[in-house]
Structures are given as structure tokens and as C-alpha cells.
Amino acid sequence: MLGDQFTLIALPWLVLQMTGDTLVLGTVLALISVPRALFILIGGALVDRHSPKQVLMITKYINLVLLAVLAALVLAGSLTLWMVYALSLGIGLATAFSIPAGVAMMPHVVARHQLQAANGVNLGLRQLTMFLGPLLAGLLIALFGDAATAGAGGHGGTRANATGIGLAFALDALSFALSAWTLSKVRTHGGTPQPAAAPQAVLSSVAQGLVHFWRDGELRTCFLYWSAIALFIMGPIHIAIPVLASSTPQLGAAAFGIMVGAHGAGTLLGMVVSGMVPRLRIGSLGMTILAFDAVIGALFMPMGLITAVWQGSVLMLAIGLLGGFMQVSVFTWIQQRVPPALLGRAMSLFMFIFMGLAPISAAVTGWVMKSITLAQLFAASGGTLVVLAALAFVLTPMRRVSDAPAAVR
């Protein structure tokens, strides 16, 4: 499935061609991201009430319909701005349910001892689509035309025809159809919880999950630690790297693409290594997380001082390698530790931390950058990550977090 990355390349391009207005573009992206962040915890509760496969299948059909409608409207020249808003909102809502369903699916498909390798393959393939999706979208747009038809959205003017963008959305819709068909062939084992005779209200189910995670000392520590990273690290990094590329004379747009590509390649390689060497640790899992984060923080600190593409690419490759390795390990640890009946809510909370808190951090970063230099921002962000990892090592039980299931520890 081409999925999110494919759509998030073609849709902004379509909006800019229709309106040329960055405010409209921001509104469209907000209609995708805000509902996703707000409803992802509810999505996790519904996954636990029903089954990951059932919820995921429904979201694939919904995305198939939304993207097919979008493609048809673009190709017919009938798309208006309010339709873009409505379809963007639908895509964002569907994603809020597909994400927890997708990440909670694996323990229902493979044996526990195969989770690390299976997660490595699954997340690695997803990382691969992050290369292929934008590439295919860009090729279709370049080959068949990249602009909206006259009068779209009431803004008037013709800049070419919309065949390329329409075909991009049609191909994405087709990928969801293919993905739904392959998912229908997947057989799950007996890990799916059965619904109770009187199911809880959804919000009560969300609250029950949050209480359970809070009472689990290691889960609580890890979730709080990751929340701090999302607030203090993720936002600044998302803002600082494109600003670095655009404001440094020796770099530019091409350099930005190369550095992002290097990070993606490193992440993919890290996921592959994690699947091949699942027991590679520096002591415990918690110690490994903290050590890797400290190294990542140290690698970010000099980013604001680079003057050549190769320097940024090497740093981003190493950062991606470490992050990709730990992403697979963390997913596997949560899947093994949390009871099956709560897995959807656990994974939705994990995803909410980075999808809900990081945008807030990015917005604050934009304001902070008016007062400090780019080099200072990178140094502060990287240094903060090193300090957070050190504090977590000294003050919390995170260093003792183990891969072993909770029942045998």
C-alpha cells in the first residue's frame, strides 16, 4: 500500500495548484492531522473492543472510497475547495483508527518469539513506501501535468491539466484495494479478545486503559519519557532541518532531500538490523534505549554547524540507523508486555504521544526561533535529549526495563 506518504505528497501539491495559498494548505493538513491526534485513543479502544483486523479492513475500504472519489473529481475537473476540506477530514479520521489497528495487528498474526523479526520486516516495508510513495507521486505529476483545472475552488485560472494528480490519487486508491484484498487472506490466531456481554462506553474504555498503563511502573516511565522527547526534541527537529537547508548557502532544496533520504535509508537499515539481531542490547532494553538516545542527541548537536551536504547526510544516516533499530524493539516490547485486551489502546497512546505532542512542540519552536540562532536550537535540542536520557537513567526505573514478559520478571 502506498498510503499516507503518497497522499501527503499529492494532496498538498493539488491544494497549492488550486489556490496558491499556504493558509489553505495549512488548513488542509490540519484537517488531516488534528482529527487523527484527537481520535487515535478512541480508535485504540475500538480496536480492543472488536479486532485489529476488522477495524483495519473497514479503514482500508473507507480510504479506498475517499481516494477514488478524490481522483474522479480531479480528473473530471469538478473538485472544489470545500470538497478538499471534507475529503481531508475523512482521511484524517480514518487514519486515527487505522494506525492503532495496524500496529496492534502483529501479535494476532505471528508467534510471540517471532514478533521482533516480524516487526522489523513490517516497519521496514513501511519505511520503503516512504521512498516509493513520494517518488511515484512526483513521477505521475511530472509526466501527466500538475495543476488543477480552471475555476477549482472558486479561485479561477488554469495552470495545466490535473491528469497527473488525478492518476496519483487513483493509484493510491488502487493500492488500498489491493491491501484490503491481501488483508482478507490473513489468518489470525486465538489472541483476539472476545467482547464482553455489556461492553464499556468508549470513553470509559479509554480511561480504563490509561489507568492500567499508569499503574504499570515501567510503562508509565517509558510513556512519560517519550512524551518529554516529543515535546522537547521532535518539534524542534522537524522545524530546524528544513530551515537549515533553506538558510545555509552551501545547501538548498536538493541538499534537504538528500539528508532526509539519508535519514530514511538509515532508519530502514536499522529496522533490518533489528529484525536480524533482535537480542542486540547494551545491558537491558531500557539501557539500550537511553544509550542510543544519548548518542542521537550528541549527533544532533553539531547539525547547525554543517557546511556541506555529506556532513549532514552522515549525521542523519547514523541518527536514522539508531532510531530505526530502537523503533522495532520498542514496538515489540509494548506488544509483548501489554495484555491483548489492551493492546490497541497501548499502541494508540504511543502513537498519540508523537502525533499529538510533536506538532505542539513544532509550533512553539517556530516562535522560539525568533530569539535564538539555528546552531543554538540544534545544540539545545540535542543537549536536552542527552540530559533527558541521563536523568531517566539516574532518577527512574527505565534502565531496568527488560525484554522479558512481565509475568516472568
Side-chain angles (χ1 to χ4, degrees):
M1 182 181 66
L2 299 176
D4 297 343
Q5 294 301 315
F6 195 88
T7 301
L8 291 178
I9 290 293
L11 190 57
W13 195 267
L14 170 65
V15 171
L16 288 175
Q17 295 302 311
M18 287 177 66
T19 68
D21 191 336
T22 56
L23 178 60
V24 174
L25 174 59
T27 302
V28 168
L29 294 179
L31 286 170
I32 294 176
S33 59
V34 173
R36 182 179 61 191
L38 291 177
F39 285 90
I40 195 168
L41 294 178
I42 294 175
L46 289 178
V47 167
D48 289 335
R49 173 177 295 186
H50 301 285
S51 76
K53 180 179 177 180
Q54 183 179 0
V55 174
L56 190 58
M57 184 68 77
I58 292 172
T59 62
K60 288 185 183 298
Y61 287 136
I62 291 173
N63 276 302
L64 166 61
V65 172
L66 292 173
L67 289 167
V69 169
L70 183 56
L73 290 170
V74 171
L75 292 171
S78 303
L79 186 68
T80 58
L81 197 52
W82 74 265
M83 295 177 184
V84 175
Y85 287 153
L87 291 167
S88 300
L89 178 62
I91 291 170
L93 286 171
T95 306
F97 297 90
S98 66
I99 289 175
V103 294
M105 180 84 176
M106 195 62 70
H108 299 268
V109 177
V110 302
R112 177 180 291 268
H113 69 278
Q114 296 175 321
L115 273 176
Q116 180 90 359
N119 281 325
V121 172
N122 183 47
L123 293 174
L125 288 174
R126 176 168 176 78
Q127 186 67 25
L128 186 61
T129 65
M130 295 177 70
F131 291 112
L132 296 180
L135 176 62
L136 288 174
L139 285 174
L140 287 171
I141 292 170
L143 289 173
F144 295 98
D146 62 1
T149 54
H155 291 269
T158 303
R159 303 189 185 185
N161 66 68
T163 304
I165 297 177
L167 290 176
F169 288 126
L171 181 59
D172 202 11
L174 180 62
S175 76
F176 274 100
L178 179 61
S179 180
W181 177 77
T182 56
L183 180 61
S184 70
K185 305 299 180 181
V186 173
R187 297 290 177 260
T188 59
H189 54 63
T192 302
Q194 297 298 317
Q200 286 181 296
V202 172
L203 292 181
S204 297
S205 181
V206 172
Q208 180 194 47
L210 293 175
V211 169
H212 175 87
F213 306 144
W214 183 260
R215 289 175 176 172
D216 185 320
E218 291 187 1
L219 275 177
R220 180 179 68 244
T221 300
C222 289
F223 281 147
L224 290 175
Y225 173 74
W226 292 323
S227 297
I229 289 178
L231 282 172
F232 294 108
I233 307 300
M234 299 303 296
I237 296 308
H238 288 164
I239 294 292
I241 292 177
V243 172
L244 170 69
S246 63
S247 61
T248 305
Q250 300 93 327
L251 300 178
F256 173 61
I258 293 171
M259 288 190 293
V260 171
H263 180 267
T267 302
L268 179 59
L269 179 59
M271 290 174 175
V272 172
V273 172
S274 184
M276 294 175 60
V277 194
R279 311 311 298 178
L280 179 61
R281 296 287 181 266
I282 302 173
S284 65
L285 173 64
M287 282 287 295
T288 307
I289 293 173
L290 296 176
F292 277 32
D293 281 350
V295 174
I296 289 172
L299 291 172
F300 266 125
M301 292 177 70
M303 279 291 293
L305 302 175
I306 67 170
T307 57
V309 178
W310 71 266
Q311 296 170 342
S313 298
V314 169
L315 291 173
M316 294 296 284
L317 179 70
I319 290 167
L321 176 65
L322 297 173
F325 182 91
M326 290 317 306
Q327 185 177 345
V328 175
S329 299
V330 166
F331 267 56
T332 304
W333 176 71
I334 296 174
Q335 290 167 345
Q336 291 179 330
R337 183 179 183 87
V338 175
L342 294 170
L343 187 55
R345 279 164 283 184
M347 299 310 295
S348 67
L349 178 59
F350 178 77
M351 301 305 292
F352 169 79
I353 288 172
F354 293 101
M355 291 182 174
L357 298 182
I360 297 174
S361 175
V364 174
T365 299
W367 174 75
V368 171
M369 288 187 68
K370 296 181 178 180
S371 305
I372 64 175
T373 66
L374 194 59
Q376 290 172 336
L377 178 64
F378 273 109
S381 296
T384 299
L385 182 54
V386 174
V387 171
L388 283 174
L391 291 176
F393 175 81
V394 174
L395 301 177
T396 75
M398 191 164 175
R399 65 183 180 275
R400 297 191 295 271
V401 170
S402 169
D403 291 279
V408 301
R409 274 184 274 144

